[in-house]
Amino acid sequence: MTVTTSTQSERLTDLAGLAGLTPLSETTSGPDPAAVYEALRARWGNVAPVLLEPGVPAWLVLGHRELVTVLRNEGLYSRDARNWGLFADGTVGPGSGVGGILAPRDGIYYVDGARHRHLRRLVDDAFESVDEHRLAATVEYWCGLALDRVLAAGEADLVADYARAVPLLVMSTMFGLDPEQARAMLGHARKVFQAKGAAGVESLNAQRALISDLIADRRAAPSDDLTSAILRHPSAPTDLDAQSAVSATLILGSEFEVGWITQALRLRLTDPRFDGRSGGRLSAPDTLEAVLGSTPPAPNAAPRFALADTTLGDRAIAAGDAVVPGILGASAESRGTGDDIWLESGNLSYLTWGAGPHACPARRPATLIAQITVEAALRRLGGVALTVPPEALRSAGTLFSSAPRELPVRFEVPRPARPARPVRPER
């Protein structure tokens, strides 16, 4: 199939009314997302028009070189939705479907420039203080509790009963939330990510209230957690600073950590290359790395908004256009050969962590959490098998995240219970 339109001519507003534009959700929740990316590339080239929702077009970046250009260049591609033309003219409002997740807000992933650098320092310095041995013990503790319950039942949904539970509980410990607060936080985050209009806005407000209460509690009674570490920062952050730093990190981190673990467990259950029972020899770290390159938890990154007219991948980008980094599509497009060190020559899965000012600040702890969680499941779930054919598994996708909806399993040869449970790590 040839490229449909001529280069550097049609603008996004010209293409928005075309019949048959692909909804972005098909790249995360369809039965074969990789085929969707390839069909888009075949039709449009490395920068393709898609629909965030009916009547809301955006550019999807499918080329590796183009993707790195967008991620690196904060001066041309802003993360602040106040620069989005469709938001500025009222086409998209904060109460609309996609508006609930993309509307401007004060958070580390949603602002640029000096404000972003300030919030980023708070988060970077807090994560720098993380004791990885203590974090590992915390993860092992919550994995043990979750797996005890799973094994006692003899069957489980590894998404709901394990992969979604452990990161939630670990991050609640890291930030100082109790488990019930953490469960509420994750529920709110799912509704925001699903972009369901008023329900998303309501959940966003509930998130803010919960984190505001957490900040107030730690102001009054500091503890040994990341929230308190942020409040103790030498820059003397305000309550709004701390709330902005905590909220996006906690909410986005838990959502994508769950997806990463879930996709890794899916590979171990469905792909012989990763299944030791079938002769596979790839380790848990190998599996997690393979997920980032083939089925990343964030197939698309949050949109950037063009600050000026420009050209990207032979497409005319107008000031105010939304530009979505297609992480999975760009990884499939190229293996980054060349001399430009910014192109991450070799393994493109690293683009999952982003590049430039908005690259993920929690790569080390996120990797540690995922690795221990997957390894614990593999170590204790002897004789585990899916209760449905692999092809029956379906994705639960939002515009930017993707993971199996469920992983129903039974245990043919349950392992005996662990002889001793570790003491719960202190916060």
Side-chain angles (χ1 to χ4, degrees):
M1 186 181 298
T2 58
V3 173
T4 296
T5 60
S6 59
T7 60
Q8 300 187 31
S9 56
E10 289 84 359
R11 297 211 166 197
L12 191 58
T13 52
D14 301 325
L15 300 171
L18 290 181
L21 284 189
T22 301
L24 183 63
S25 59
E26 290 188 13
T27 67
T28 60
S29 58
D32 189 358
V36 177
Y37 286 110
E38 290 313 305
L40 284 166
R41 192 192 326 282
R43 182 180 181 188
W44 302 102
N46 280 348
V47 180
V50 294
L51 293 174
L52 300 179
E53 65 181 20
V56 182
W59 295 111
L60 178 63
V61 182
L62 300 169
H64 184 232
R65 185 178 298 275
E66 292 84 357
L67 175 61
V68 175
T69 296
V70 171
L71 294 177
R72 286 173 56 193
N73 195 342
E74 182 185 53
L76 184 55
Y77 296 101
S78 169
R79 186 58 193 85
D80 190 337
R82 288 175 295 184
N83 297 303
W84 188 13
L86 295 183
F87 193 87
D89 69 12
T91 300
V92 175
S96 69
V98 74
I101 186 172
L102 297 183
R105 66 191 68 166
D106 187 43
I108 189 171
Y109 292 106
Y110 300 94
V111 295
D112 300 311
R115 179 62 175 162
H116 174 263
R117 290 190 293 275
H118 172 60
L119 295 177
R120 181 65 187 243
R121 279 194 298 273
L122 298 180
V123 172
D124 286 345
D125 291 351
F127 277 119
E128 186 67 27
S129 71
V130 170
D131 181 335
E132 294 190 357
H133 293 289
R134 179 179 169 190
L135 175 58
T138 300
V139 181
E140 289 279 8
Y141 172 81
W142 289 120
C143 286
L145 285 186
L147 289 170
D148 283 348
R149 296 189 183 99
V150 165
L151 287 166
E155 61 182 13
D157 170 12
L158 288 183
V159 175
D161 299 330
Y162 185 66
R164 191 163 287 282
V166 171
L168 168 68
L169 294 167
V170 170
M171 295 193 76
S172 74
T173 305
M174 292 177 70
F175 281 89
L177 293 168
D178 65 46
E180 287 305 313
Q181 290 174 316
R183 289 188 184 93
M185 178 68 71
L186 187 62
H188 298 323
R190 290 295 298 169
K191 291 179 181 178
V192 172
F193 273 95
Q194 289 165 358
K196 298 298 184 182
V201 174
E202 182 179 337
S203 293
L204 180 61
N205 291 334
Q207 285 176 355
R208 289 170 174 164
L210 197 158
I211 292 174
S212 179
D213 289 344
L214 174 64
I215 299 299
D217 288 345
R218 288 299 174 268
R219 283 283 193 201
S223 184
D224 189 12
D225 54 41
L226 288 181
T227 303
S228 299
I230 288 171
L231 288 169
R232 287 194 298 267
H233 195 270
S235 64
T238 66
D239 285 356
L240 180 59
D241 290 341
Q243 182 176 335
S244 298
V246 169
S247 60
T249 307
L250 179 58
I251 295 162
L252 292 174
S254 60
E255 175 73 14
F256 295 123
E257 187 83 356
V258 167
W260 194 15
I261 293 166
T262 302
Q263 293 286 26
L265 292 173
R266 179 190 62 81
L267 276 184
R268 301 296 296 207
L269 291 168
T270 62
D271 191 325
R273 295 173 299 171
F274 300 90
D275 185 353
R277 298 167 301 171
S278 303
R281 296 183 179 275
L282 293 174
S283 65
D286 292 331
T287 307
L288 289 163
E289 190 72 11
V291 166
L292 295 185
S294 62
T295 53
N300 306 310
R304 272 56 171 176
F305 307 100
L307 296 176
D309 291 353
T310 187
T311 300
L312 183 70
D314 293 332
R315 290 284 169 195
I317 310 297
D321 282 356
V323 180
V324 177
I327 302 296
L328 179 55
S331 292
E333 185 264 344
S334 165
R335 283 298 161 188
T337 57
D339 297 327
D340 187 348
I341 61 172
W342 286 101
L343 296 185
E344 292 280 358
S345 178
N347 190 340
L348 295 195
S349 68
Y350 292 112
L351 286 178
T352 300
W353 302 103
H358 286 275
C360 178
R363 180 169 172 172
R364 283 181 62 88
T367 301
L368 180 64
I369 294 168
Q371 183 171 323
I372 292 174
T373 304
V374 173
E375 287 176 339
L378 300 180
R379 184 171 63 247
R380 295 194 60 200
L381 298 182
V384 66
L386 282 171
T387 60
V388 298
E391 58 272 16
L393 298 175
R394 293 291 178 262
S395 294
T398 68
L399 292 177
F400 309 109
S401 63
S402 180
R405 189 180 304 276
E406 58 183 3
L407 288 173
V409 296
R410 64 174 180 272
F411 311 111
E412 298 167 357
V413 188
R415 299 277 178 88
R418 295 179 304 145
R421 180 176 300 164
V423 176
R424 175 174 177 175
E426 295 181 1
R427 288 178 178 166

